Amino acid sequence: MKTLFVVSGGDAPGINAVMGYYAALATRYGHEVAGARDGFAGLVAGRIVPLTGDVIGPWVSQPGSYLPSSRVPVLKDAEGQQAMADVLAQHDIDNVILFGGDGTLRYIPPIVAQLGIPCIGLPTTIDNDVPGTELTLGFDSACNFAYHAIDGALATGRALPGRIFMVETLGGFSGMIALDVAFGAGAHAVLVPEYAYDDAWLGARLLEAAQRDGYALLVLSEGVAASRTLFDDILRWTNIRVRDIRLGHAQRGGIPTHRDRSLAAQMARLSFEALNADVLRGTVVVRGGATLLHEGALDGPERLPDVSRYNFVNGFDPDYEPARN
Ligand code: F6P
């Protein structure tokens, strides 16, 4: 059996761990593994490289992706799909393991499966916004990275009172990272793209927190519409020093945590078993806390930040129903 890895979209901590564990398993059972460089853009151009456990092994603990990814929609027309079919045939690829987020896992597996080539999807994005799974690979590491930054800032927050810290997380159009981090870090307020907030409420809340606790901590997601202008607004509303920390892509490059490495190991084992059992299409998901293979198309409700946590961070009012943005 020859399996091809393709990474599409944003990289996430833990991808290399899946590759390393899978390659080790495949080698042990006498199978081959190859990888597409540069995602599907590289695949259709024939950039296929062999992968063995000893090549990928040293990368297991590293964030990012040994195989570079891309976000180019090369499979949107018949020409691109034919080019992919040709390359898969030329390289004797029996099946594909696809690493990606919501867009990738929704649109690509049916195209690959149409060729009769089994395809197992692995939800890999720090954003944790893939419907059908409670957890995506990389989310835990990205949250942990944020705690390091917040803990550092709050050392000064406590030692030298009189500051409002704004910590901006990644997350694209999703507030899952910002909300979980705000909850876990005991933030005074959180802003996520999904829920509306009021300027006067935010200003008063931060001012009150800074006067009471000596500092205020606001966590916000990069997808919040006003994220670029809030710094000046908060200073104007409160007249307290505002300190702005944007985690940016450094957050996506956090060291894979224990939880992500465990999930990576399970993803490797379950996808290896599924491909050995000739499952045509499936996704490794986390449901009810258990990691399992979901066969067929992946679906599920839109992933929204948990309102009860949002209310807890933003005012301890469990009955408050925030307006959707
Ligand atoms: O992969 C998801 C993500 O990390 C988002 O959180 C973020 O908005 C985006 O990717 C950043 O990636 P790019 O630099 O390609 O826009």
Side-chain angles (χ1 to χ4, degrees):
M1 178 171 91
K2 187 169 180 183
T3 301
L4 180 74
F5 293 158
V6 189
V7 184
S8 182
D11 51 277
I15 286 179
N16 290 321
V18 180
M19 291 183 185
Y21 299 148
Y22 188 99
L25 266 176
T27 308
R28 193 181 321 150
Y29 288 94
H31 299 301
E32 277 180 83
V33 183
R37 291 186 60 81
D38 311 316
F40 284 96
L43 199 175
V44 299
R47 290 197 283 279
I48 308 294
V49 292
L51 281 184
T52 55
D54 49 345
V55 167
I56 195 72
W59 284 71
V60 157
S61 60
Q62 297 305 308
S65 171
Y66 174 79
L67 293 169
S69 178
S70 65
R71 292 193 194 273
V72 194
V74 288
L75 300 185
K76 67 179 185 324
D77 50 37
E79 208 186 337
Q81 294 178 20
Q82 186 56 50
M84 176 173 76
D86 293 345
V87 171
L88 293 176
Q90 276 158 21
H91 290 267
D92 297 321
I93 301 298
D94 294 307
N95 45 49
V96 170
I97 292 189
L98 180 58
F99 299 76
D102 187 21
T104 299
L105 297 182
R106 197 189 298 263
Y107 298 112
I108 309 283
I111 300 175
V112 178
Q114 238 176 29
L115 304 173
I117 295 196
C119 176
I120 301 299
L122 304 180
T124 55
T125 166
I126 63 167
D127 296 351
N128 204 20
D129 61 348
V130 177
T133 184
E134 289 156 16
L135 187 63
T136 57
L137 189 69
F139 174 70
D140 191 62
S141 307
C143 290
N144 260 26
F145 184 91
Y147 290 130
H148 291 303
I150 290 173
D151 291 347
L154 294 194
T156 292
R158 295 193 176 93
L160 190 61
R163 281 163 184 73
I164 295 173
F165 293 98
M166 290 175 60
V167 177
E168 184 189 285
T169 67
L170 283 187
F173 298 110
S174 164
M176 301 293 281
I177 297 178
L179 181 60
D180 260 44
V181 165
F183 186 76
H188 296 103
V190 61
L191 303 181
V192 294
E194 293 91 340
Y195 301 141
Y197 66 93
D198 176 69
D199 286 354
W201 165 85
L202 181 62
R205 187 160 179 82
L206 296 176
L207 184 58
E208 181 201 21
Q211 286 168 344
R212 186 189 58 233
D213 299 336
Y215 69 89
L217 173 62
L218 166 67
V219 176
L220 74 155
S221 170
E222 61 171 346
V224 169
S227 64
R228 288 292 174 267
T229 50
L230 265 172
F231 180 92
D232 292 333
D233 289 340
I234 294 174
L235 184 59
R236 192 160 39 79
W237 297 332
T238 62
N239 204 24
I240 291 180
R241 282 185 177 85
V242 183
R243 296 295 179 250
D244 189 15
I245 300 165
R246 292 192 185 150
L247 302 180
H249 287 69
Q251 184 175 26
R252 206 160 80 183
I255 295 296
T257 56
H258 165 68
R259 196 169 184 202
D260 275 332
R261 291 188 204 198
S262 303
L263 180 56
Q266 287 169 303
M267 284 180 159
R269 182 180 61 80
L270 288 166
S271 51
F272 184 71
E273 285 173 3
L275 292 175
N276 274 285
D278 290 327
V279 172
L280 186 60
R281 185 174 168 192
T283 312
V284 178
V285 296
V286 178
R287 290 185 184 168
T291 309
L292 47 95
L293 181 82
H294 168 80
E295 283 196 45
L298 184 65
D299 52 15
E302 184 190 0
R303 296 275 292 153
L304 283 176
D306 177 353
V307 171
S308 62
R309 285 191 166 188
Y310 181 80
N311 292 347
F312 187 85
V313 176
N314 281 342
F316 307 92
D317 180 359
D319 297 325
Y320 170 68
E321 270 300 323
R324 284 287 304 275
N325 261 334

